[in-house]
Amino acid sequence: MFITEAKPISASTINRPREYLLLVLLASLWGSSYLLIRIGVETIPPTSLVALRVSVAAFVLLTVIWWQGYRLPTDFSTWRSFVIQSFFNSFGAWVLLAWGQQYVESGLATVLNSTSPIFVFFLTWLVTKHETVTARKISGAFIGLAGVVMIIGVDVLQNLGQQVIAQVAILASAMLYGYAAIYGKRFAALPSTVTAAGVMISATLVLVPASLIIDRPWTLSPSASSLVAVVTLGTFGTALALLLYFRLINTLGSLGTASQSYLRMGIGVMLGIVILGEQFSLIVGLGLVIAICGVALINIPAKRR
């Protein structure tokens, strides 16, 4: 049986411990994406890298919705929304990030790209007003950002004046992430798999022609490590991550979902320690604790009167 609508999620039925575990999983998937992007752009230009990333994700997601018995929407309005969301959440933000990571050190890139909850907060507070913004959430956003700065190290910010265009591009990608978390609320009536597939198909239809024109991929000689990195990124860091992302927007809200950016920075640091043998310091541990506290402040539900 084919269906396109999902049952609405009631706040009283949300299993918050489970949703927080899914938030950590999402942060883990996206926390490893910086390493994979860095490997990918060594031999694949940014536009082609993201085109391959979204194409792999679209194929995986189409397979999933076929297995589930869902079908894609057929109305123009929904597909127009998919295209807009794909700009905010994928081809716009990811191309900017991949391009910026060619010129900006990964530590500085992670600091700049972790600011999306701040953009979500200000957009929610000043523009959309779709969620209640409390002093606790405000505090959580800035506490989390302070923890991220401690994790990466204050010294990395000394390079903030260099490669300004690349740094602005990474900040712009964070801003697009922030608005994507808000805009994605409109897909609550659709299963997360259908939404994710529609967004990735829209991104593929934009990026594949752009790659053919800009990069002429038939002239490229990508390394095996770059190809493996991008396929892994498309399957796990994109397809699976987007399934979690659209689910969490409906359960934890825009601010709560955006707060995973703080967690993914900590996870990225831990991956560096485990995989690359980087040294663990007291300041890193303290920063992780502070970042987690910030996420908790954003996500703890308000008490009912």
Side-chain angles (χ1 to χ4, degrees):
M1 179 180 180
F2 291 114
I3 57 173
T4 56
E5 292 189 355
K7 293 180 180 180
I9 300 175
S10 171
S12 60
T13 62
I14 294 174
N15 185 333
R16 289 193 172 270
R18 180 183 61 194
E19 300 306 309
Y20 294 151
L21 287 174
L22 293 177
L23 188 72
V24 173
L25 177 57
L26 176 61
S28 301
L29 293 170
W30 276 347
S32 62
S33 66
Y34 295 96
L35 174 63
L36 296 172
I37 291 172
R38 190 67 180 177
I39 295 171
V41 294
E42 290 177 355
T43 58
I44 303 175
T47 303
S48 293
L49 182 147
V50 182
L52 180 56
R53 175 183 183 177
V54 298
S55 298
V56 170
F59 174 78
V60 172
L61 290 166
L62 281 172
T63 303
V64 171
I65 65 172
W66 172 81
W67 177 75
Q68 291 178 323
Y70 292 151
R71 64 181 178 185
L72 294 170
T74 56
D75 60 292
F76 175 78
S77 177
T78 300
W79 279 100
R80 180 182 59 190
S81 297
F82 281 159
V83 172
I84 295 172
Q85 179 72 12
S86 68
F87 171 73
F88 292 139
N89 197 70
S90 53
F91 72 83
W94 290 344
V95 169
L96 286 171
L97 177 60
W99 182 84
Q101 280 199 256
Q102 296 179 112
Y103 308 102
V104 174
E105 294 179 358
S106 60
L108 179 56
T110 52
V111 170
L112 296 173
N113 203 236
S114 71
T115 57
S116 57
I118 303 299
F119 288 110
V120 172
F121 163 69
F122 283 113
L123 286 168
T124 300
W125 183 29
L126 301 175
V127 182
T128 64
K129 305 181 190 301
H130 68 286
E131 292 182 23
T132 302
V133 175
T134 63
R136 174 176 50 77
K137 290 186 177 183
I138 297 172
S139 301
F142 286 98
I143 288 172
L145 185 60
V148 169
V149 173
M150 291 182 68
I151 292 169
I152 305 302
V154 178
D155 291 342
V156 79
L157 297 178
Q158 293 176 355
N159 296 322
L160 197 59
Q162 301 173 5
Q163 302 292 346
V164 174
I165 296 177
Q167 293 161 12
V168 170
I170 295 172
L171 275 176
S173 73
M175 182 178 67
L176 292 178
Y177 283 149
Y179 199 81
I182 296 172
Y183 192 84
K185 293 284 288 184
R186 68 185 56 212
F187 302 110
L190 293 174
S192 59
T193 47
V194 173
T195 301
V199 170
M200 286 298 96
I201 291 169
S202 300
T204 299
L205 293 175
V206 171
L207 283 170
V208 168
S211 171
L212 294 174
I213 295 170
I214 297 171
D215 296 330
R216 297 189 300 166
W218 58 89
T219 65
L220 303 176
S221 300
S223 66
S225 59
S226 291
L227 289 173
V228 170
V230 177
V231 171
T232 303
L233 182 64
T235 304
F236 298 100
T238 308
L240 178 57
L242 284 177
L243 295 180
L244 297 173
Y245 175 79
F246 286 111
R247 173 193 174 90
L248 291 169
I249 285 178
N250 292 329
T251 56
L252 297 182
S254 302
L255 287 171
T257 304
S259 69
Q260 55 76 31
S261 66
Y262 295 144
L263 286 176
R264 76 171 182 251
M265 295 305 105
I267 290 168
V269 171
M270 296 306 297
L271 287 175
I273 293 170
V274 173
I275 297 175
L276 302 178
E278 296 176 357
Q279 187 175 2
F280 184 82
S281 64
L282 178 62
I283 195 70
V284 169
L286 183 59
L288 282 171
V289 172
I290 292 175
I292 292 171
C293 288
V295 173
L297 285 172
I298 292 174
N299 283 290
I300 294 173
K303 294 182 178 179
R304 296 177 178 270
R305 295 190 178 183

